[in-house]
Amino acid sequence: MVQLTQALAAILLATGAVAHPGKSINKDILRRQAHLDHPERRSVQSCKRGLVDSGWVREQHMRREARLHELRVAAGFAKPHELVRRDPAEAEASFGEAAACTLDPESTEGPYWVTGELIRSDVLTGEKGAITHLDINVIDTTTCSPVTDAYVELWGTNATGVYTGVQARGNGDGSASAVTTNALRGIQPTGSNGTASFITVIPGHYVGRTNHLHTIIHHGATKLPNNTIQGGTISHVGQFYVDQTFLAQVEATSPYNINTQAITKNANDMLFNMAKQGGDDPVMKISLIGSKIEDGLYATIDVGVNPKARQMPQPVNMWTEKGGIPVPNSPWTGYPDSCRYCGFGTRPPKEKRVDEARDAE
Ligand SMILES: *[C@@H]1O[C@H](CO)[C@@H](O)[C@H](O)[C@H]1NC(C)=O
Ligand SMILES: *[C@@H]1O[C@H](CO)[C@@H](O)[C@H](O)[C@H]1NC(C)=O
Ligand SMILES: *[C@@H]1O[C@H](CO)[C@@H](O)[C@H](O)[C@H]1NC(C)=O
């Protein structure tokens, strides 16, 4: 067994995982712990020197400013000549610290990953909410350079906390209405600067979880003629979060404010707390494009990966022209009532993930 850190033990107690072992996601905690303990694990922070020296942090900072300005101009909140630049040295100094967005967690794909999604940047498909232009920067923490040939997959719930492409008792009201849309799901290549760009909404909350976006990083996948990807490997399975104070402001806007599902704050969300361990920061850096949330948001996050790592997330459904259809033998089928992965703690030994093998004993 791995040694649980004191902080992790505190999380287990605070979030009730110990009190309710039957429903717990202890296995995920152990997997995360094994990831943190792994001798080859490196965070984005450990690349600070290399990324600063190579000029990447400076370039990234300038691009972020330019992109936000571009969005402001497009929305009528600034004139083209009004770009005010902050000294990049500040960005270099603060890179990788708590306020910056560094991330290296291995988390769970959860019960609602739908494979076969489309390569597209704008994943709104008619969904309403706090429109968010999200840039995901992928960094190879083994070489401290941007990953330019990956596909980043992103999915999240709509503003009232329901996933598309899936019908399950735990997914909103459990109705079938969301199965026929692929809204808020998509895939983007990282491109020459290592950045995958999406337009989505801040996800809503749902029972048992704080607001979060899911991501999977694909390597070596082939683009098919119908704009989907096939094959390759997955190095990273993660989740992105929103600062709690800002989240409260988002939740007060329409249509978030009609979500009747119980709220779980970041501080009480076990997966959030796990993701914060080990110097990682899974919270997106978010700026207002205009003067209020309704004017749109610009968000960025840095994700550190080891491209050679092999994760084996399991999709519950596959997106087709007919909507989401079940993936045969998915261990998530029947979630949360009757499935092999129900409770997150029952994964059979034969399907162990690479990093999971380490905590088995
Ligand atoms: C979220 O999706 C569910 C299921 O399709 C739908 O009933 C609900 O209206 C959607 N929420 C918003 C804010 O559109
Ligand atoms: C990254 O590079 C692509 C071109 O490869 C460009 O379209 C995109 O705007 C760049 N992203 C950022 C955040 O600079
Ligand atoms: C795209 O093509 C693949 C391979 O033919 C197929 O399996 C998949 O269902 C198609 N996806 C969609 C959304 O049409």
Side-chain angles (χ1 to χ4, degrees):
M1 277 300 273
V2 294
Q3 291 287 320
L4 289 186
T5 61
Q6 274 188 328
L8 209 57
I11 291 166
L12 287 172
L13 287 169
T15 55
V18 173
H20 309 285
K23 283 182 175 173
S24 80
I25 46 179
N26 285 336
K27 198 73 184 168
D28 251 52
I29 294 175
L30 292 176
R31 186 167 57 242
R32 169 74 179 148
Q33 183 64 37
H35 173 70
L36 290 171
D37 289 342
H38 193 261
E40 279 166 33
R41 172 184 178 271
R42 296 185 65 187
S43 68
V44 173
Q45 219 164 350
S46 67
C47 281
K48 176 170 178 166
R49 192 72 269 145
L51 291 170
V52 167
D53 287 351
S54 72
W56 185 86
V57 172
R58 178 172 292 250
E59 229 174 87
Q60 203 62 26
H61 165 74
M62 309 268 282
R63 268 207 297 263
R64 184 173 199 278
E65 282 184 329
R67 181 75 187 120
L68 179 56
H69 182 64
E70 191 180 286
L71 292 167
R72 284 190 170 140
V73 171
F77 291 102
K79 297 270 186 303
H81 66 272
E82 288 172 345
L83 171 57
V84 180
R85 288 203 179 274
R86 193 162 67 98
D87 184 355
E90 276 176 45
E92 291 179 342
S94 63
F95 180 77
E97 282 169 16
C101 306
T102 62
L103 175 84
D104 180 30
E106 293 309 330
S107 194
T108 177
E109 72 276 18
Y112 305 126
W113 177 33
V114 176
T115 190
E117 295 297 342
L118 304 182
I119 301 174
R120 54 183 191 156
S121 177
D122 181 338
V123 298
L124 293 174
T125 319
E127 288 290 339
K128 302 271 187 296
I131 308 291
T132 304
H133 297 256
L134 171 60
D135 282 347
I136 301 169
N137 307 311
V138 185
I139 297 153
D140 178 343
T141 54
T142 66
T143 61
C144 294
S145 51
V147 180
T148 56
D149 56 358
Y151 280 106
V152 177
E153 180 157 4
L154 184 79
W155 74 98
T157 66
N158 71 8
T160 47
V162 184
Y163 287 100
T164 62
V166 185
Q167 178 184 12
R169 187 170 63 78
N171 186 27
D173 62 4
S175 73
S177 64
V179 178
T180 50
T181 164
N182 61 350
L184 310 175
R185 295 178 183 268
I187 295 173
Q188 277 292 281
T190 47
S192 59
N193 43 31
T195 303
S197 301
F198 290 93
I199 304 175
T200 187
V201 297
I202 297 291
H205 64 268
Y206 57 91
V207 175
R209 287 305 313 278
T210 187
N211 313 50
H212 62 278
L213 290 169
H214 288 265
T215 193
I216 280 179
I217 316 268
H218 301 265
H219 304 265
T222 307
K223 181 176 172 177
L224 300 181
N226 64 5
N227 213 32
T228 60
I229 60 168
Q230 192 176 57
T233 58
I234 291 169
S235 69
H236 178 81
V237 180
Q239 301 186 13
F240 305 143
Y241 298 87
V242 181
D243 168 77
Q244 188 62 56
T245 306
F246 184 70
L247 197 50
Q249 294 167 25
V250 172
E251 288 275 5
T253 65
S254 169
Y256 297 88
N257 55 8
I258 59 166
N259 187 354
T260 54
Q261 302 187 74
I263 289 185
T264 301
K265 289 186 173 170
N266 288 347
N268 299 324
D269 183 296
M270 192 180 332
L271 293 173
F272 173 83
N273 283 298
M274 281 159 55
K276 291 273 290 180
Q277 297 280 301
D280 294 332
D281 189 353
V283 178
M284 296 178 283
K285 190 188 275 184
I286 302 181
S287 306
L288 295 181
I289 290 173
S291 55
K292 54 187 191 306
I293 286 164
E294 289 86 342
D295 297 330
L297 307 170
Y298 176 53
T300 58
I301 186 132
D302 296 342
V303 184
V305 303
N306 173 353
K308 295 201 177 66
R310 298 283 181 270
Q311 307 291 337
M312 310 278 257
Q314 303 290 324
V316 62
N317 278 2
M318 173 162 186
W319 178 250
T320 68
E321 279 163 343
K322 293 188 216 109
I325 59 164
V327 166
N329 302 317
S330 169
W332 291 114
T333 301
Y335 184 87
D337 301 314
S338 57
C339 56
R340 273 190 285 145
Y341 281 7
C342 285
F344 289 68
T346 52
R347 298 182 184 208
K350 267 193 183 148
E351 283 170 5
K352 259 177 208 151
R353 300 174 188 200
V354 175
D355 56 351
E356 198 172 33
R358 289 195 294 270
D359 66 41
E361 217 175 87

